[in-house]
């Protein structure tokens, strides 16, 4: 029986020295597993005489319980130590100084898009979106530019090899105007939306990047006329540039998706080498600058979007968000918008707390 005591002593030592739960499990298997040494001793009971068994059984059972108990105690101690260590490591030191000033900033394009959404929300416009990977039909055909239309050539389109479900090939949308069609088809009339987003053209210099941003506007209702268009654009531009002396000039133009079409100019002057919007372009020291394309939505577009053009009319407009940002905040190279240079962002970016609101002035603390 001295043998049992020796086994127990040895087991206790090894268990107390085990360094991990894995090592403990190996020991458990070694002693108490099916092939374990203590289990083997238990199996010898069956072959003993009743007298011998009566004497040895309690001792072998005692050994088994002692080993099992030692294993359980050690395991509990290890788990407690681990929890202790985690609690010690995860404490929050409230005496530490506050974190450094946040360095991130809001890109001027995002800021201007938020400003536009705020201004147009106040005029009752909802924000609509559409896919950047677009079907030829929505980007061109439904906007009254069938396959042979010369205006298509002006768009320097990036095409995919894939056939589009509605005809032609898939492409990266060249303007936000397809959102007009998608919105009319999905929601019917009346419509009052703006659609800001990314657009793509194969073009690159100081004033053109292959990806840029536009915002589209669409109003469809009964008895809408050019007067509504002019008032809306004037109200929008006054709110955006935060000046009452904004003067618009509407010039007859041509877009396939509007009839009649007008290009909208604003008067500006140059102060300290920067264009400053305001005043009539005909005033001394002033000139006109084109800022928007617009017009009354072409009947054919309304028809292709599933509405009856005898019942529903409307106006649309489109403009470049990046250009609006440059004009308002004074950047001169469009390419820098998309370089991701942190110094440029630190200079031109906005604080996340700078939420544009009409009451505070959209772009108040720029
Ligand atoms: N889609 C035109 C472009 O990218 C801009 C435009 C002009 C949009 C006139 C309009 C519009 O909605 O009426 O050049």
């Amino acid at each position: 029986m001295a043998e049992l005591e020796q086994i127990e002593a040895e087991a206790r030592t090894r268990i107390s020295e085990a360094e991990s739960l894995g090592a403990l499990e190996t020991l458990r298997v070694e002693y108490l597993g099916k092939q374990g040494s203590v289990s083997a001793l238990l199996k010898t009971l069956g072959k003993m005489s009743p007298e011998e068994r009566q004497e040895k059984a309690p001792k072998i059972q005692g050994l088994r319980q002692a080993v099992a108990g030692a294993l359980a105690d050690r395991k509990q101690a290890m788990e407690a130590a681990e929890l202790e260590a985690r609690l010690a490591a995860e404490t929050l030191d409230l005496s530490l100084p506050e974190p450094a000033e946040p360095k991130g900033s809001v890109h001027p394009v995002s800021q201007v898009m938020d400003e536009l959404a705020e201004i147009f929300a106040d005029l009752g416009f909802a924000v609509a979106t559409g896919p950047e990977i677009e079907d030829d039909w929505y980007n061109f055909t439904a906007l009254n530019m069938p396959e042979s239309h010369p205006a298509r050539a002006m768009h320097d389109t990036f095409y995919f090899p894939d056939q589009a479900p509605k005809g032609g090939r898939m492409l990266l949308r060249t303007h936000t105007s397809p959102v007009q069609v998608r919105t009319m088809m999905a929601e019917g009339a009346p419509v009052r939306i703006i659609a800001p987003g990314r657009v793509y053209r194969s073009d690159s210099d100081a004033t053109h990047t292959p990806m840029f941003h536009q915002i589209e506007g669409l109003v469809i209702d009964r008895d809408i006329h050019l007067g509504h268009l002019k008032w809306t654009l004037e109200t929008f531009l006054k709110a955006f540039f935060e000046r009452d002396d904004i003067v618009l000039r509407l010039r007859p133009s041509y877009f396939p998706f509007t009839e009649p079409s007008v290009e909208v100019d604003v008067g500006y002057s140059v102060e300290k080498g920067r264009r400053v919007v305001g005043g009539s372009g005909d005033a001394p020291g002033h000139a006109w600058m084109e800022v928007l394309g617009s017009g009354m939505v072409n009947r054919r577009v309304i028809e292709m979007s599933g509405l009856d053009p005898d019942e529903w009319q409307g106006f649309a407009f489109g403009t470049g968000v990046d250009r609006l940002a440059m004009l308002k905040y004074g950047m001169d190279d469009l390419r820098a918008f998309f370089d991701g240079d942190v110094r440029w962002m630190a200079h031109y970016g906005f604080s996340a707390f700078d939420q544009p609101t009409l009451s505070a002035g959209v772009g108040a603390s720029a």
Side-chain angles (χ1 to χ4, degrees):
M1 278 301 106
E3 192 202 353
L4 293 187
E5 280 164 28
Q6 200 187 333
I7 294 176
E8 184 181 331
E10 186 203 271
R12 283 188 185 282
T13 312
R14 294 180 67 197
I15 288 167
S16 70
E17 285 169 357
E19 295 281 352
S20 65
L21 290 171
L24 216 53
E25 175 62 9
T26 308
L27 288 174
R28 189 192 65 77
V29 172
E30 193 179 320
Y31 288 105
L32 306 180
K34 265 196 184 136
Q35 315 288 333
S37 52
V38 176
S39 309
L41 285 171
L42 282 166
K43 278 180 208 152
T44 62
L45 290 175
K47 289 182 199 115
M48 291 176 186
S49 63
E51 297 77 30
E52 200 185 359
R53 188 183 305 137
Q54 210 163 35
E55 186 215 328
K56 292 197 174 160
K59 297 186 173 149
I60 299 178
Q61 290 289 5
L63 171 63
R64 197 193 66 82
Q65 277 169 13
V67 173
L71 283 166
D73 289 350
R74 180 82 186 119
K75 188 172 176 199
Q76 203 183 27
M78 271 182 186
E79 283 168 351
E82 196 187 324
L83 181 63
E84 214 34 56
R86 255 184 57 200
L87 287 174
E90 289 177 9
T91 49
L92 184 63
D93 185 352
L94 293 175
S95 68
L96 282 173
E98 79 231 28
E101 198 186 322
K103 291 238 169 60
S105 54
V106 176
H107 196 283
V109 170
S110 303
Q111 185 75 11
V112 165
M113 285 198 181
D114 288 350
E115 292 174 16
L116 297 172
E118 175 71 16
I119 292 167
F120 280 103
D122 193 54
L123 298 175
F125 286 65
V127 173
T129 55
E132 289 169 31
I133 297 174
E134 187 55 286
D135 189 307
D136 182 291
W137 189 84
Y138 290 104
N139 195 82
F140 290 125
T141 310
L143 290 163
N144 195 30
M145 283 181 270
E147 240 154 80
S148 57
H149 202 284
R152 280 184 174 224
M154 288 160 49
H155 282 223
D156 298 313
T157 311
F158 288 115
Y159 284 100
F160 291 96
D162 315 59
Q163 284 307 119
K166 282 180 166 278
R169 275 184 291 160
M170 293 303 286
L171 47 80
L172 286 174
R173 68 176 180 192
T174 58
H175 51 176
T176 43
S177 303
V179 184
Q180 291 186 24
V181 179
R182 287 185 173 274
T183 306
M184 282 187 269
M185 289 178 80
E187 289 166 27
V191 173
R192 210 187 289 183
I193 54 129
I194 53 165
R198 294 193 178 108
V199 300
Y200 302 83
R201 291 186 200 179
S202 177
D203 206 350
S204 189
D205 58 41
T207 52
H208 297 89
T209 49
M211 184 282 300
F212 58 107
H213 300 84
Q214 286 190 338
I215 186 165
E216 194 80 13
L218 175 69
V219 170
I220 299 284
D221 211 322
R222 297 187 170 92
D223 305 322
I224 298 289
H225 55 74
L226 267 180
H228 294 117
L229 169 64
K230 187 177 184 210
W231 180 88
T232 304
L233 295 181
E234 201 169 271
T235 305
F236 145 53
L237 290 168
K238 281 180 178 173
F240 180 72
F241 288 109
E242 298 176 76
R243 295 176 69 125
D244 269 335
D245 65 345
I246 302 284
V247 183
L248 301 190
R249 182 175 73 172
L250 270 54
R251 247 179 321 107
S253 182
Y254 172 78
F255 298 105
F257 31 90
T258 45
E259 183 58 38
S261 301
V262 286
E263 276 177 313
V264 180
D265 302 333
V266 289
Y268 74 97
S269 59
V270 177
E271 287 171 26
K272 294 186 198 136
R274 248 185 82 170
R275 287 183 175 193
V276 178
V277 173
S280 162
D282 294 327
H286 283 63
W288 294 106
M289 168 176 42
E290 184 202 321
V291 286
L292 280 148
S294 63
M296 301 306 295
V297 181
N298 193 305
R299 297 178 53 89
R300 293 182 50 80
V301 175
I302 294 178
E303 213 164 45
M304 279 187 278
S305 303
L307 298 176
D308 177 1
D310 288 325
E311 185 179 1
W312 302 103
Q313 302 81 41
F315 64 79
F317 56 88
T319 185
V321 174
D322 319 275
R323 277 197 57 209
L324 286 181
M326 289 169 87
L327 261 180
K328 182 165 176 179
Y329 295 114
M331 306 82 166
D332 55 11
D333 191 339
L334 178 64
R335 287 170 299 195
F337 273 59
F338 311 117
D339 280 347
D341 187 326
V342 288
R343 291 163 303 179
W344 188 89
M345 276 301 289
H347 185 77
Y348 288 112
F350 291 79
S351 157
F353 296 114
D354 234 336
Q355 296 280 342
T357 60
L358 285 179
S359 53
V362 283
S365 47

